[in-house]
Amino acid sequence: EKIVKEGTEVDLYGSLGKEKFELGDYTGRLYEDVFQLLSRENFKDIIRNDVYHDEIPAGTIIEQSPEAGEEVIPDETVLEFTVSKGPEVFQLKDLTGYNEKGLEEYAASTGLTIEIAGEDHHDSIEKGLVMSQDPKSGTNVKRGDKIKVVLSKGKKEIPPKSVRREVTVPYEPVVEGMPQIVQIFIEDMNHSMTEAAQTFEITEPVVITIELIIPHGGKGGYKVQLDDRVIADETVPYPG
């Protein structure tokens, strides 16, 4: 112990404690650059939390804790940074068979923009459902990307065809000069065999022309009856 005489000038030295560090605003900067800068300051820890962000580029700092301007003691402080991973990328679904409501729901849940680019015929996909898409299913996409789809108009309708047949109807009365009744029955798109399409009398032989309107994949037919006797009966398939 040192004894100092009264009146002697003494220099006193007080402890200032640990040196503090003022944090800058690191948001908007690349995490790797900031990490290299701060790792030299011997912080207790530097934590990185990665999150998806639709607008901020990957690797960019979004938030920091503590905030900019705070004075901290590095070896007693944990820095925490929220860093953008960029927009979330996911695989596009197969939209085949989706109707417009289903497309709207998928667009709302994913943030995609779905555009109906047109319509076309399809042999097996029902009208109003998606038959094709661009890009194809399995493609990596992100929110805001545009997807184009084509809806089915259903099967392409093949028009019916007209078929004509000529039938000679003889005149064979029991008593000469007595009229005979001719009945024509037709089965096609416009007629049914359940009732006669035409009924008329003859007193001489006639040639009649029968026209059938036959649907694609279907068949038609006719029957000609003279009095109570069938003189012509034919089933006619769709031509071609």
Side-chain angles (χ1 to χ4, degrees):
E1 183 176 298
K2 188 172 182 180
I3 300 173
V4 180
K5 291 182 179 180
E6 186 178 350
T8 303
E9 192 173 297
V10 178
D11 292 328
L12 297 175
Y13 297 91
S15 173
L16 298 176
K18 294 182 179 180
E19 187 176 353
K20 290 188 176 182
F21 180 90
E22 183 177 345
L23 294 172
D25 184 359
Y26 305 111
T27 58
R29 297 175 62 179
L30 290 175
Y31 173 81
E32 293 302 330
D33 294 344
V34 172
F35 180 80
Q36 288 184 14
L37 177 68
L38 297 178
S39 60
R40 297 194 293 263
E41 303 297 332
N42 297 317
F43 279 91
K44 185 176 181 180
D45 198 4
I46 300 176
I47 298 173
R48 171 176 176 161
N49 298 316
D50 291 299
V51 296
Y52 289 110
H53 200 287
D54 293 337
E55 298 174 0
I56 298 177
T60 304
I61 295 173
I62 302 172
E63 296 176 355
Q64 69 181 71
S65 177
E67 295 181 357
E70 287 196 31
E71 292 186 345
V72 298
I73 298 171
D75 63 4
E76 297 177 3
T77 303
V78 175
L79 297 180
E80 193 166 352
F81 294 101
T82 302
V83 181
S84 171
K85 292 201 290 185
E88 183 176 6
V89 175
F90 56 94
Q91 288 192 336
L92 179 63
K93 273 189 176 182
D94 182 358
L95 300 176
T96 304
Y98 274 58
N99 58 20
E100 289 192 48
K101 184 179 179 182
L103 292 175
E104 289 172 2
E105 291 174 350
Y106 184 62
S109 66
T110 59
L112 295 171
T113 299
I114 299 180
E115 174 186 317
I116 297 174
E119 295 181 323
D120 203 356
H121 292 287
H122 197 283
D123 289 340
S124 60
I125 296 176
E126 292 181 16
K127 181 179 179 180
L129 305 183
V130 174
M131 57 178 282
S132 66
Q133 65 187 75
D134 181 31
K136 64 182 181 180
S137 62
T139 301
N140 286 334
V141 293
K142 60 185 183 300
R143 290 178 67 87
D145 283 354
K146 180 181 286 187
I147 313 300
K148 293 185 178 181
V149 299
V150 175
L151 300 184
S152 171
K153 292 164 68 174
K155 284 187 178 181
K156 187 173 183 178
E157 292 187 10
I158 300 176
K161 288 189 176 180
S162 172
V163 177
R164 293 173 182 267
R165 290 287 191 267
E166 284 192 350
V167 177
T168 300
V169 182
Y171 175 62
E172 299 171 341
V174 176
V175 178
E176 189 63 32
M178 180 181 293
Q180 288 189 277
I181 298 174
V182 178
Q183 288 184 298
I184 302 172
F185 297 85
I186 295 175
E187 185 73 41
D188 68 357
M189 287 185 67
N190 303 321
H191 304 88
S192 170
M193 284 280 196
T194 55
E195 58 182 35
Q198 285 182 273
T199 301
F200 55 91
E201 294 181 346
I202 61 170
T203 55
E204 61 183 3
V206 294
V207 177
I208 57 175
T209 300
I210 298 172
E211 181 180 24
L212 304 175
I213 307 299
I214 304 176
H216 178 259
K219 58 186 179 180
Y222 67 90
K223 179 172 68 174
V224 180
Q225 195 167 296
L226 180 63
D227 291 334
D228 295 325
R229 181 166 60 94
V230 176
I231 61 169
D233 189 357
E234 183 184 5
T235 298
V236 182
Y238 182 86

